[in-house]
Amino acid sequence: MNDEGGLPGDEGPASVVPDVWRVGLCPHEDARGRFVEAFHQERLAAESGRLMTVRQVNYSVSRRGVVRGVHYFADPGGQAKYVTCVSGEVLDVAVDLRVGSPTYGRWESVRMDASRPRAVHVPVGLGHAFVALSEEAVMLYLCDSPYVPGLERTVHPLDPELALPWPDDLAPTLSERDRAAPSLARARADGLLPFHQA
């Protein structure tokens, strides 16, 4: 349904789902190692027109082959995320789950790794998922609203209709909740998806 890819400089609106915003991060390296400014609120606002106030910060540690997602919030407030890989390597995916959106059901993917820092802003109404490609991967999530148990939903990450670009050489490991998640079509039929706000 989509091709993995990037933009020149890995910054700006994504090509298939332009509501996804890619942020190229500039590491500062010297004899001691590397320093990365992972998030700069004013820079994101100036470049994307999005003001993101961070209200919660999370990180996950995943073993190779672990797939997390496709997670989203369907309530009107939702939750925007700004994600980056701070250790290891992942294939990160944002999926437009907004019923009525011109890019409904389409996705953007980007490889992230600590040696080539980058981040992705995933706005409200889009689903987020990733697979760990390295033996261990650490993902950092900045969220504009706190996590509320029971409000987060999930679409099955192996749904053939979505055809997400998971590597063929990895046996995916899913949580019980993600394994039991509905397909995109079932979630839509059951009224579980967010609506596009024009």
Side-chain angles (χ1 to χ4, degrees):
M1 194 175 265
N2 301 68
D3 291 323
E4 178 188 346
L7 299 169
D10 290 327
E11 293 204 35
S15 57
V16 177
V17 183
D19 288 340
V20 174
W21 193 270
R22 297 181 187 204
V23 181
L25 304 177
C26 299
H28 302 281
E29 299 188 41
D30 62 23
R32 299 168 298 167
R34 176 184 301 129
F35 176 87
V36 179
E37 182 181 271
F39 176 74
H40 192 289
Q41 184 184 52
E42 286 78 14
R43 180 178 161 218
L44 178 67
E47 293 175 1
S48 71
R50 303 165 189 204
L51 181 61
M52 180 171 175
T53 301
V54 177
R55 297 191 53 208
Q56 183 170 332
V57 177
N58 309 313
Y59 73 90
S60 64
V61 180
S62 303
R63 290 189 287 278
R64 179 175 167 82
V66 167
V67 175
R68 295 184 186 261
V70 175
H71 299 155
Y72 69 100
F73 290 81
D75 65 298
Q79 185 185 62
K81 295 177 183 175
Y82 180 95
V83 296
T84 188
C85 180
V86 295
S87 178
E89 182 180 11
V90 303
L91 178 65
D92 191 78
V93 180
V95 183
D96 191 347
L97 301 174
R98 301 167 299 178
V99 175
S101 167
T103 55
Y104 171 77
R106 301 188 75 190
W107 48 262
E108 292 285 349
S109 68
V110 62
R111 283 182 183 264
M112 294 186 181
D113 66 75
S115 65
R116 187 174 169 212
R118 61 179 78 174
V120 173
H121 180 264
V122 182
V124 171
L126 273 67
H128 177 253
F130 69 87
V131 62
L133 303 175
S134 52
E135 290 307 309
E136 183 175 274
V138 180
M139 284 290 282
L140 183 69
Y141 313 72
L142 282 64
C143 306
D144 73 343
S145 63
Y147 176 81
V148 178
L151 291 185
E152 185 182 59
R153 296 180 181 167
T154 183
V155 167
H156 203 292
L158 305 180
D159 179 359
E161 181 184 353
L162 286 176
L164 298 178
W166 308 131
D168 293 332
D169 63 335
L170 290 179
T173 302
L174 307 179
S175 69
E176 292 286 335
R177 185 173 69 120
D178 290 344
R179 202 171 17 255
S183 66
L184 180 64
R186 173 50 49 203
R188 182 173 184 168
D190 290 348
L192 300 175
L193 298 178
F195 287 91
H196 179 62
Q197 305 293 321

